Each structure stands twice: as structure tokens, then as C-alpha cells.
Amino acid sequence: MAKDIFVYIDHFQGEALPASWEAVGAARSLAESLGGDVAAILVGENVGDLAEQAIQYGADKALHVEDASLADFRPEPFSSIVAKIASDADVLLMPTSGRTRELAAMVGVDLDTGVIPDVIEMDTADGAIMAIRPIYAGKLLSKVTIPVNRPQILTLRSRAFPKPEPDSNRSGAVEGVEVEIEQPVTEVTGYGETEAGVSLSDAAVIVSGGRGTANNPDLEPPADITDEKEQEIWRAQQGFKLIGELADVLGGAVGASRAAVDAGYIPYSHQVGQTGKVVSPDLYIAAGISGAIQHLAGMRTAKTIVAINKDPDAPIFKLARFGVVGDLFDVLPPLTEELKNR
Ligand SMILES: Cc1cc2nc3c(=O)[nH]c(=O)nc-3n(C[C@H](O)[C@H](O)[C@H](O)COP(=O)(O)OP(=O)(O)OC[C@H]3O[C@@H](n4cnc5c(N)ncnc54)[C@H](O)[C@@H]3O)c2cc1C
């Protein structure tokens, strides 16, 4: 029997996460093997344009719920709307993001079903879906087979599935849906850098720095910085400047280890790892990062890993495809210069 495959289009103030379109592409592949239509769900204020884009990326129809009270994401009203629209869905896909972690769980409760989070591969066999997801901080891959006989919710890791090319000639039904909207009990008063800055999850290239960024005793802090901790932070900032320059040349984003974040070298929004962002870039360059298991949990699915570390025994070299044993302050400037010249 043909299956109804729904995709929740996650967006930040009307701008879709690229992973939302990757999820539409994945839904299209499921529809091809299971049969059925792909329906995109959009919730927000002025999301009509996104609904049109969903059709271009491969949805057969796009259902949008619009209201001024939905301008900002809040889990309670969004989950009750998505659960109402997707109550007859066989499969509901979402990109994995901070928002959908809450949303998927709450919709799962409303629809009395489970959630398979952070899927990196998906296939079908005999009408069932097989999903692969990392477990135990990425040390193992778990294969889950689910019969599609009740709503199944899966969230898909960003950049794990190909993003389809939009086709402006594609047509489909765009329908406004009227549903009762719960008034949110919370108020959004503003956004910090975490939400508005470069998205690590979508970056094809990430250059990350760790505690090693502060380790350059030859750098003399300005005379007015006398406190030892502040001197350390100042040194790390010089290290992160080199990291930022390399990231700029490669059109990438800047990541960091938790040690760097905890020490105040760089804001938390840059943290990669088990308790930070989970990323899958094409290229991940780790400079001055030892390669603790909690860091690896966030980047081990990167396609190519390059490590720069003074210590030849640093665990990061076990995972890296290319390794440079050296001081990041010596290695990064000529590397950036060489790439600039190319
Ligand atoms: C529950 C829990 C959750 C955690 N979550 C995370 C997480 O999400 N992300 C994360 O990153 N960590 C996380 N951690 C912390 C993790 O265990 C490590 O402490 C942390 O990753 C270490 O960061 P680091 O590699 O920058 O520092 P270090 O381990 O101190 O390594 C610094 C490295 O820099 C090298 N180095 C020093 N100077 C230079 C130089 N000049 N040039 C080149 N190399 C140099 C050293 O050889 C060393 O290998 C978590 C820990 C716990 C307990």
C-alpha cells in the first residue's frame, strides 16, 4: 500500500535549514520505493515562500499553517500543529536540529509512537524502513528496522543525505491549513549569536581549535593585560585568529573543543562534540585538539579529517586521514597563505 510521507521543514524565522531540503530528498527516495506522496509541513509566519520551495525541492504538496504567534519556534504550539497534520502519516521526517529534538519527541508523544533520532542512512526492504544511527557517542552504528504500519518519526542528520537540486518547473499543491493554535506560554525576547551565526551543522568545511591555541609562550600579551587567565585567553584568541583565517580562505566555519569553550577562548556556539554540535563536513581540520572521545563523537563522520598537533601520540591522529605533527602557530599561517595563492 502506498505510504504518506510527511517532512517537517525546519526553519529559523523563514529561512529553511539546508537539511530540511535534504530531508525532502530523502522522503522522495522513500516514496519511490514505498509508493505514496511526499507532503511538506510548514509552520510559522509568512512561510508561503518556503512552501513553494518545498515543491521545487521534491514535495508533491506543501501544507502550511500561518499565524503571527508562530513567528518564533515554541515547542508547545508547533508540536500540537505538526501532530494534528501528521496524524495520518506513515512516516514523518525532520532534519535533526536543536528545535526538532524537542519537536520530534513531543510529536512522538502526541501520536503515541517512537522517534529514531539522528539517522545517517536509510533504506527500505519489504515495505519496512531500515535506518542507521550512531550510538555510544558514535562508537557503534545501530541498524533499526521499522515496519511502516503506524506513524514513524525519524530525524535525519544534517549533510548525511544529498540535497536535491531545486526544479523551478516542478508543480504541486500548496495549501493553507486551518488548525486550532495553542497560544504559547513563553515569550521570545531576542536571539544571541548561537542562532544567528554561521551554522556549523551546515558547513562543508570546519576548522576547529582546542586548548593548544593558547600554547604559544613566545606571544607577548599587551602590557595592560596582567592577569594570567586573561593572558591565556589573549594568546588563545591569537590562535583562533589563525584558525578563522584558514576557515575564511576555505569558505568554512570555526569550531572548537569543549576545553577551548570552557576556558573562555571562544563562545559555546562553536563547540563540537558530544555536548556541542554534531557535524559531518567534507573537511574537518582539528588544530591543537587532542581527540578525546567526547570531541570525536561530534566529528567522526566528517569525510576527511586533518589533524595538526605537537604531540605525535595524540589520539586524534588515529582518526585523521592526514596528520601534521607540529605547532599550529607555525603550521597554520603558511597553509593559509598557500591556499590563498591557489
Ligand atoms: C560529559 C562530558 C562531555 C564532554 N563533551 C565534550 C564535547 O562536546 N566536545 C569536546 O571537545 N569535549 C568534550 N568533553 C571534554 C573532553 O573530554 C576533553 O577534555 C576536551 O575535548 C579536550 O579538549 P582539547 O583537545 O582542546 O584539550 P586537550 O585535551 O588539553 O588537548 C590539547 C591538545 O593540543 C596539543 N597542543 C598544545 N599546544 C599545541 C600547539 N601549539 N600546536 C599544536 N598542538 C598543540 C596538545 O598536544 C594536545 O593534544 C566532554 C567531557 C565530558 C566529561
Side-chain angles (χ1 to χ4, degrees), residues 315-328:
I316 189 85
F317 286 127
K318 292 206 179 97
L319 193 68
R321 169 93 64 90
F322 302 102
V324 182
V325 178
D327 190 317
L328 68 95

Side-chain angles (χ1 to χ4, degrees), residues 209-213 215-216 256-260 271-276 287-295 308-311 314 326-329:
R211 212 191 315 251
T213 53
N215 185 21
N216 185 347
S257 70
R258 175 156 159 185
Q271 185 186 319
V272 171
Q274 190 181 323
T275 43
I289 292 179
S290 59
I293 178 152
Q294 296 90 353
H295 188 79
I308 302 165
N309 198 303
K310 273 169 93 160
D311 174 6
D327 190 317
L328 68 95
F329 287 89

Side-chain angles (χ1 to χ4, degrees), residues 85-332:
I85 297 181
S87 61
D88 293 330
D90 294 294
V91 183
L92 171 60
L93 302 182
M94 301 184 186
T96 308
S97 73
R99 286 178 290 271
T100 63
R101 275 197 184 93
E102 281 183 289
L103 186 69
M106 290 174 75
V107 174
V109 170
D110 284 355
L111 297 183
D112 194 20
T113 189
V115 177
I116 302 177
D118 214 20
V119 169
I120 57 167
E121 269 181 65
M122 205 168 40
D123 207 347
T124 58
D126 302 327
I129 295 178
M130 282 181 312
I132 293 182
R133 58 179 291 259
I135 55 170
Y136 298 121
K139 282 215 128 181
L140 294 178
L141 295 177
S142 156
K143 190 174 183 179
V144 191
T145 304
I146 39 171
V148 188
N149 53 13
R150 63 186 184 127
Q152 300 290 352
I153 303 175
L154 300 97
T155 75
L156 311 186
R157 182 177 287 190
S158 178
R159 296 182 51 80
F161 294 84
K163 185 171 150 205
E165 282 301 317
D167 175 358
S168 53
N169 295 322
R170 254 187 126 257
S171 60
V174 173
E175 294 168 24
V177 181
E178 299 288 332
V179 288
E180 199 185 319
I181 297 169
E182 242 180 65
Q183 284 315 302
V185 289
T186 52
E187 186 190 349
V188 176
T189 53
Y191 290 94
E193 201 192 335
T194 317
E195 285 278 17
V198 179
S199 167
L200 275 176
S201 316
D202 301 328
V205 176
I206 296 174
V207 187
S208 282
R211 212 191 315 251
T213 53
N215 185 21
N216 185 347
D218 297 340
L219 276 177
E220 202 47 59
D224 59 330
I225 303 180
T226 49
D227 180 77
E228 239 176 65
K229 178 72 194 164
E230 282 178 23
Q231 290 183 342
E232 175 191 329
I233 291 176
W234 180 86
R235 284 200 179 90
Q237 285 165 348
Q238 312 316 304
F240 269 102
K241 213 159 126 196
L242 302 180
I243 284 175
E245 283 164 6
L246 178 57
D248 278 351
V249 170
L250 295 169
V254 172
S257 70
R258 175 156 159 185
V261 168
D262 283 349
Y265 301 167
I266 186 162
Y268 168 72
S269 52
H270 294 268
Q271 185 186 319
V272 171
Q274 190 181 323
T275 43
K277 301 259 165 52
V278 175
V279 298
S280 286
D282 295 332
L283 174 63
Y284 188 89
I285 303 179
I289 292 179
S290 59
I293 178 152
Q294 296 90 353
H295 188 79
L296 305 186
M299 42 64 82
R300 65 162 73 241
T301 53
K303 290 185 186 69
T304 303
I305 296 168
V306 178
I308 302 165
N309 198 303
K310 273 169 93 160
D311 174 6
D313 296 323
I316 189 85
F317 286 127
K318 292 206 179 97
L319 193 68
R321 169 93 64 90
F322 302 102
V324 182
V325 178
D327 190 317
L328 68 95
F329 287 89
D330 297 332
V331 175
L332 289 177

